[in-house]
Amino acid sequence: CDHCKETLRNCTNDEECSAASVALQLCITKIVCPSVAQDFAEAVEGLQSGTIDDQVINQKYTSVTKCLEDFELDSKQKAR
């Protein structure tokens, strides 16, 4: 995910930074929760083809952020 981190470091406006942040989140999710990342990718494809609405995307993105939060908590507990 180094490329995503570098893009986030070098973004220059809110739109770029927002996109870079989401890209980094998705990159990490692909590693720590691959099924969640796959579900989100499929939902994005559905949104683009018109078979899925924004509400579904929001639910899938919530799953992505939950995965990352759980991973962070688990990592902190293991570090103790």
Side-chain angles (χ1 to χ4, degrees), residues 29-48:
T29 302
K30 287 177 186 177
I31 297 165
V32 299
C33 302
S35 63
V36 172
Q38 181 63 35
D39 286 348
F40 184 78
E42 290 172 5
V44 169
E45 289 175 13
L47 182 67
Q48 292 170 342

Side-chain angles (χ1 to χ4, degrees), residues 6-56:
E6 188 66 26
T7 301
L8 183 58
R9 259 190 238 119
N10 295 322
C11 63
T12 58
N13 61 49
D14 287 344
E15 188 175 327
E16 281 181 8
C17 292
S18 179
S21 177
V22 170
L24 179 58
Q25 289 173 329
L26 293 175
C27 184
I28 295 168
T29 302
K30 287 177 186 177
I31 297 165
V32 299
C33 302
S35 63
V36 172
Q38 181 63 35
D39 286 348
F40 184 78
E42 290 172 5
V44 169
E45 289 175 13
L47 182 67
Q48 292 170 342
S49 68
T51 59
I52 289 180
D53 62 20
D54 287 343
Q55 184 177 356
V56 173

